[in-house]
Every structure is written in structure tokens, then in C-alpha cells.
Amino acid sequence: MSLHTSLCDAFGIDHPVVQAPVGSVSTPELAAAVSAAGGLGTLAVTWRDLAETRAAVAAIRDRTDAPFAVNLVLDDDARERPTGEHLTACLDAGAPLVSFSFGDPASYVDRVHDAGADVLATVGSADEARAAVAAGVDAVVAQGWEAGGHVQSDVATTALVPRVADATPEDVPVVAAGGVADGRGLAAVLALGADGAWLGTRFVATEEADAHERYRERLVAGEATETVRGTPFPKGWPGQPHRTLASPATERWIAAGRPPVAERDDADDVVADLDGDPLERYVDLPPLSGVDGSVEELPHYAGQSVGGVDAVAPAAAVVAELVEGAERTLRSLAPDRDADGPGVDGPDGRG
């Protein structure tokens, strides 16, 4: 049995598995490992300067000839430089796919296509999906509210994906994000009408991600009931809801009535440092491998899928487990039939 959907055909990948950008934790090594394993690796570049972005894209290309994506956040409150300038750096460096999130990609789609690259756009509703399709994107990512990190939807994945699939032409693949950690989840979103799955939390707990050891340990030990959604860590991206593991910081914030950062008496405290740079309490930076200090005070971004993260593993092994698990699930649902169901050697989830 071979898991193959229209997403694979659209972007020249072997498996309908996309690694979410996972912010500062993403590395060229992670994106390259996922892509080399047949999925689609993604590198977050919004918070990198232009030289770092060009070097990171080159580092992926040095590691694999397979397709990969870069992600740019469009929200003005999150960016440190003009999106157009950053996009030019990505395209000039040879990024074959560009993922846009938290904003309208319409003004950038033609530039990406003119450079010979493809566009993915993350959406949080069927209306946003229609607008993205009208702008000419090549695929949409339907992000449910279960997702970890910064979240742009108030709708659960199981409710959102069918509506986005119905609103999207069959020649524009839909990727489901939020709540997927294993092959059963991948099979489930294919049944909902998606053409692939987008996973972040599971790929943070990999050997190639730049996550602090204690962060990865928390992911492996975490349960779905231990996540918090809101704005406990607004420094760097004010006002944007995010989902993290519960921590002393989130507990204090909740106990105080979820106040804005300006009303928190301890907001100026330095709790850690990264390579000598101080990190204040409630900063939006997760604990990276180079962080020293009170790691538990930093945001441990994680989605409700965290309960399905049972070990830190190489990214290629995660891709293989996802595909094998989805194939087993699909076989179990139709044990007396040929393997020609949705997404398996046949039409995708909308076929």
C-alpha cells in the first residue's frame, strides 16, 4: 500500500506529510530531513535576518534535492522587516515553495509564481480559503484551534477541514493542521477531505529541531489536557493567541485573571539568556538548545496532539511512522477490499 494524494502530485513529494514551520525551533537540518524522507519540510524565516535566511535556504539545498518550503508570517505585529524584502531573499536563495500565514497573501502570490515557486496559505475558515484560492495559491492549510504555537482559528480541525475542503476546488490541495500526531490522525484528516497533514508538535520532538532538552522532555511527557490557549506570552507578538504547555508562567497569568502584559508586575524580570542575550519573562521565544536559566518560564509551544508524542526521534523516522500508521489504519477500515480507498493508491480525500 502506498499513501499518495494530490498534494504529492502538486509539489513532487512522496508522502502527504508536511512539517509545520515551528518558529525559532525550526532548522535547515529538520526541514531537509523531512523532505529527504519524502515529506515536505518547512523552515520558519520570519525572525531571521536576510543574510541568515539566505544561508539557511542554502543549507537545506546542500542537504537535499527534494522540495521544501519557507514560511513567512504576514502579521505586522510579528514581523521585523517588510515582507516583500524578506520574500525576495527567499526566492533569490532558491526556495521552491513559500508558505504564508496570519495574513492575506494576495499581493505576493504573483511574485512567487514569477520566480517559479509555489504558494501555500494557512487559513482559519472557509471564507479565508475561498479568498486564498481567488488569489491564486497552490494549496491551503486549514489550521484548527487545537494547533500549538500561534493559532489563527477558533474552529476545531474536525469541523474546519470539511468546510475548507468543500470551499476549495479539487485541483487546490487542502492540508489539515492541528491535532495530528500519528498515522491515525493522518488517516482521519484524509477522511475529512484533506489531502495531507501538517504537523508541528510532533516534529519539535525530533533530533533535528533546535529545542531545549527539557522542552522536548515535556512534550514526551505531556497530555492534551495540559495545554493552555490565550496570550500568556505576548512579548514579540502582542495580541495573537497561542497554545503552550501549562507552566508556572501560565498558572500565574490565569490566577491573576489573564491580565495584559502591561499589568503584570514581574514582566521586566530576566528569567534566562540565549547565547548571552537576556530573555525577559513572557517573551514569545521558546526554549532553544542554547538557553540557560529558568527554561520552564519560557513558552513550551504545543498543540493538543502532544499526548501522541511518545519519544524524541529522527525526523525521517517520524515521517515513516506517520505513513505506515496511516496505511495500517486505512487497511483496518477496509480489510476485505483492495487498497483503493481515499488517499491510498487512488483518489485523495475529496475524490
Side-chain angles (χ1 to χ4, degrees):
M1 182 178 290
S2 175
L3 202 65
H4 193 89
T5 73
S6 63
L7 178 71
C8 304
D9 294 330
F11 297 143
I13 58 178
D14 296 328
H15 309 303
V17 174
V18 184
Q19 167 241 320
V22 296
S24 302
V25 174
S26 71
T27 64
E29 293 80 7
L30 174 59
V34 172
S35 290
L40 182 67
T42 308
L43 180 75
V45 299
T46 302
W47 296 278
R48 302 174 190 265
D49 67 29
L50 300 184
E52 290 172 335
T53 294
R54 287 188 285 265
V57 171
I60 300 173
R61 295 184 69 86
D62 286 345
R63 287 171 169 81
T64 181
D65 294 328
F68 63 90
V70 296
N71 173 260
L72 287 168
V73 171
L74 298 176
D75 189 332
D76 289 341
D77 289 334
R79 294 185 289 108
E80 298 179 359
R81 60 191 56 81
T83 296
E85 184 177 276
H86 213 154
L87 177 59
T88 297
C90 294
L91 296 174
D92 286 350
L97 292 99
V98 179
S99 155
F100 293 109
S101 53
F102 297 94
D104 181 2
S107 59
Y108 304 106
V109 172
D110 287 346
R111 287 182 57 184
V112 177
H113 287 162
D114 288 346
D118 290 323
V119 181
L120 300 90
T122 299
V123 302
S125 69
D127 284 344
E128 290 181 3
R130 293 185 186 95
V133 170
V137 305
D138 301 289
V140 295
V141 180
Q143 187 201 49
W145 90 301
E146 305 98 319
H150 292 83
V151 186
Q152 64 183 80
S153 178
D154 294 318
V155 182
T157 302
T158 52
L160 176 65
V161 170
R163 300 288 72 77
V164 169
D166 289 346
T168 306
E170 290 191 8
D171 61 348
V172 178
V174 173
V175 188
V180 180
D182 59 17
R184 291 169 296 181
L186 172 54
V189 297
L190 292 178
L192 289 171
D195 306 293
W198 168 288
L199 301 91
T201 304
R202 185 63 194 90
F203 281 110
V204 174
T206 56
E207 295 176 359
E208 294 87 351
D210 189 26
H212 195 282
E213 181 179 0
R214 299 215 297 274
Y215 180 12
R216 295 191 295 190
E217 289 171 352
R218 285 285 324 273
L219 293 176
V220 172
E223 296 293 342
T225 54
E226 297 173 351
T227 69
V228 174
R229 184 178 185 271
T231 55
F233 298 97
K235 289 187 176 180
W237 195 348
Q240 182 62 48
H242 42 272
R243 188 181 294 280
T244 71
L245 289 173
S247 68
T250 64
E251 291 171 2
R252 287 193 308 273
W253 175 68
I254 293 170
R258 303 176 181 249
V261 70
E263 297 177 12
R264 305 180 203 177
D265 293 339
D266 57 354
D268 294 331
D269 294 349
V270 173
V271 296
D273 72 80
L274 175 61
D275 300 329
D277 293 329
L279 299 177
E280 292 184 350
R281 204 183 300 275
Y282 310 123
V283 68
D284 67 344
L285 184 76
L288 307 182
S289 60
V291 166
D292 287 320
S294 299
V295 172
E296 67 279 0
E297 290 289 339
L298 301 177
H300 290 45
Y301 294 120
Q304 290 184 333
S305 65
V306 68
V309 177
D310 55 7
V312 176
V318 171
V319 174
E321 290 169 4
L322 286 164
V323 174
E324 291 165 6
E327 291 172 348
R328 284 195 304 272
T329 299
L330 292 168
R331 280 196 299 266
S332 74
L333 295 174
D336 298 323
R337 294 178 57 192
D338 292 336
D340 59 357
V344 183
D345 281 340
D348 61 35
R350 292 177 287 170

